[in-house]
Amino acid sequence: METASCSILHTLAFSSNTATATINNNHHLFLPPKTNPSFSSTFPRNFNFHGKPLQFNGFTAFSSPSSAQSQNPPQELAVLLEVDGVIMDAYRLGNRQAFNLAFQKLGLDCANWTEPVYSDLVRRSAGNEEKMLVLYFNRIGWPTSLPTSEKEPFVKSVLQEKKNALEELMLKSLPLRPGVEDFIDDACNKGIPMIILTAYSRSGEKTARSIVEKLGDERLSKIKVVGNEEVEKSLYGQLVFGKGMSSSLDEQLAKEARKAASAEKQRIAEEVASLLKVSVNIDTSSSERLEKIVASLLAGAEIAEVPVYNCILVAGSKSGLAAAEQIGMPRVALRSSFTSRAEFPTANAIMDGFGGADLTISKLCQKRWS
């Protein structure tokens, strides 16, 4: 993919911290730095664009684009976009409608989530949909014909129906976020590689790709979509997941150490639980998900042919921001209706949308990271 020259980025001193893996003497893979760069030690944590006041962490404005370009040579840039909350804002309207459609299909006429009810459940469960259902039915009462032992399968059946309903809503009636198409077009017109990440979408890769298809064939021909297959075929994916080549010894040892630590935690927890006569299960899914997101981000940088620290992730999820921070990738949080009041402490910038006083390619090109 063609890379762009853009004066937004300041080259970081990664030569000693960034490992470069060479495959067949022809390809180079930028691996995560051993230590994360500091984005806030030099510049103020808050910066306001002219117009709508917004929070920024680690951005600094050039006093004059021309003078900045003369002092710093142009640097390549790539933009990575998540799907959930970025390409489409389906969290509140889509999710709530999907739950209500699932209730209807399962004959749960007494169950209906208004927006205040849904917002309260999201807040109390931290967005965990299984917990949302348990909290709700504990409040209004479970179906009378449902045995206590069948509550878990019942919740899973509701979530499956909700997923099916959400997929249909996303594909048929929910629009893309305002301004996202112009944002992508602007990047393509400037020759900036645009990568859309579907591999770790919570709505599922199939649904995420269907959402991306709403961008249109012409636009899709100018961007790259990174899903599970692309991650596995990437050089980093092959190294880490062992798809097509052996993982490095250090990587294998690290993975085995993580497995051993999780097993030991589970063993200790079970011993304590046996004394208390309760059952426990240590959840390792969050760390596994973070590993998958890291692999997706690195695959995106590789496909864009731009170093990790010259890529910018536009994310709607805290997990995406955390993964980007872990590998030293600059990151912008894009608020959605679901995260309108959320805090994003790991983001370098927090924006409310695309265009105008919000996120634009021009504004990205007038900033640099430190």
Side-chain angles (χ1 to χ4, degrees):
M1 178 183 292
E2 181 185 359
T3 58
S5 293
C6 189
S7 61
I8 109 164
L9 295 172
H10 173 67
T11 304
L12 300 176
F14 273 85
S15 58
S16 62
N17 293 334
T18 304
T20 303
T22 305
I23 310 299
N24 295 330
N25 298 321
N26 293 320
H27 303 284
H28 294 277
L29 168 65
F30 293 95
L31 297 179
K34 294 178 182 177
T35 58
N36 292 335
S38 173
F39 291 104
S40 58
S41 59
T42 306
F43 296 99
R45 295 183 59 84
N46 295 321
F47 176 84
N48 291 332
F49 276 133
H50 292 297
K52 190 174 183 180
L54 294 167
Q55 289 181 315
F56 280 79
N57 303 319
F59 268 128
T60 182
F62 290 126
S63 59
S64 149
S66 58
S67 63
Q69 290 175 2
S70 64
Q71 295 174 10
N72 299 284
Q75 301 296 331
E76 55 192 351
L77 164 70
V79 178
L80 282 63
L81 298 182
E82 290 187 348
V83 175
D84 298 330
V86 176
I87 302 294
M88 178 178 285
D89 183 1
Y91 284 113
R92 176 162 294 173
L93 291 177
N95 266 345
R96 185 175 67 84
Q97 291 178 23
F99 270 114
N100 287 335
L101 289 171
F103 295 149
Q104 293 174 17
K105 187 164 185 179
L106 293 172
L108 303 171
D109 298 331
C110 62
N112 181 63
W113 288 359
T114 61
E115 189 165 321
V117 168
Y118 178 78
S119 298
D120 180 61
L121 290 171
V122 168
R123 179 183 58 80
R124 295 175 60 196
S125 66
N128 184 307
E129 294 184 342
E130 188 169 331
K131 290 181 180 179
M132 289 169 65
L133 288 168
V134 171
L135 286 170
Y136 180 71
F137 285 105
N138 280 344
R139 181 192 302 173
I140 71 165
W142 295 79
T144 55
S145 59
L146 184 70
T148 302
S149 60
E150 295 296 317
K151 286 184 178 180
E152 185 175 345
F154 168 77
V155 167
K156 292 188 181 301
S157 68
V158 174
L159 290 177
Q160 183 59 51
E161 289 296 338
K162 176 259 176 185
K163 180 182 177 182
N164 296 338
L166 182 59
E167 288 178 359
E168 187 172 352
L169 282 171
M170 284 180 169
L171 299 182
K172 291 184 178 180
S173 59
L174 294 181
L176 300 177
R177 282 196 71 152
V180 67
E181 292 166 299
D182 291 338
F183 180 81
I184 293 173
D185 290 343
D186 195 16
C188 293
N189 291 336
K190 287 180 169 63
I192 297 173
M194 177 64 63
I195 307 293
I196 297 183
L197 306 165
T198 62
Y200 61 91
S201 172
R202 287 194 177 276
S203 57
E205 184 178 3
K206 181 180 177 181
T207 300
R209 283 187 177 268
S210 298
I211 293 170
V212 173
E213 288 174 2
K214 288 189 171 189
L215 292 170
D217 293 338
E218 182 179 353
R219 200 170 279 114
L220 286 173
S221 68
K222 301 175 183 178
I223 65 179
K224 297 291 184 182
V225 178
V226 175
N228 291 322
E229 183 178 354
E230 288 77 14
V231 173
E232 290 178 0
K233 288 182 177 179
S234 69
L235 298 180
Y236 183 82
Q238 292 178 62
L239 285 169
V240 174
F241 301 119
K243 302 291 185 179
M245 66 176 69
S246 299
S247 299
S248 67
L249 178 60
D250 286 347
E251 193 65 43
Q252 291 181 26
L253 291 174
K255 291 180 75 172
E256 290 302 318
R258 287 194 294 269
K259 289 180 181 178
S262 296
E264 181 64 11
K265 287 180 182 178
Q266 181 68 32
R267 184 189 66 78
I268 294 173
E270 288 175 351
E271 288 183 359
V272 174
S274 65
L275 298 175
L276 300 175
K277 296 182 180 181
V278 297
S279 61
V280 296
N281 183 40
I282 301 297
D283 181 16
T284 60
S285 59
S286 58
S287 61
E288 292 172 357
R289 175 170 169 77
L290 188 65
E291 184 179 82
K292 181 176 182 179
I293 297 174
V294 166
S296 301
L297 298 180
L298 291 172
E302 178 187 320
I303 290 171
E305 299 180 353
V306 173
V308 166
Y309 50 85
N310 277 6
C311 296
I312 298 178
L313 172 68
V314 181
S317 68
K318 289 187 176 181
S319 55
L321 295 169
E325 181 187 34
Q326 183 173 307
I327 61 174
M329 179 180 288
R331 52 218 169 267
V332 175
L334 197 68
R335 285 196 173 112
S336 65
S337 58
F338 180 66
T339 59
S340 60
R341 298 182 181 179
E343 298 294 331
F344 297 98
T346 61
N348 299 109
I350 303 172
M351 310 295 284
D352 290 331
F354 293 103
D358 292 305
L359 186 61
T360 64
I361 293 296
S362 296
K363 287 175 181 175
L364 287 181
C365 288
Q366 293 169 9
K367 305 298 165 186
R368 68 178 180 181
W369 304 98
S370 173

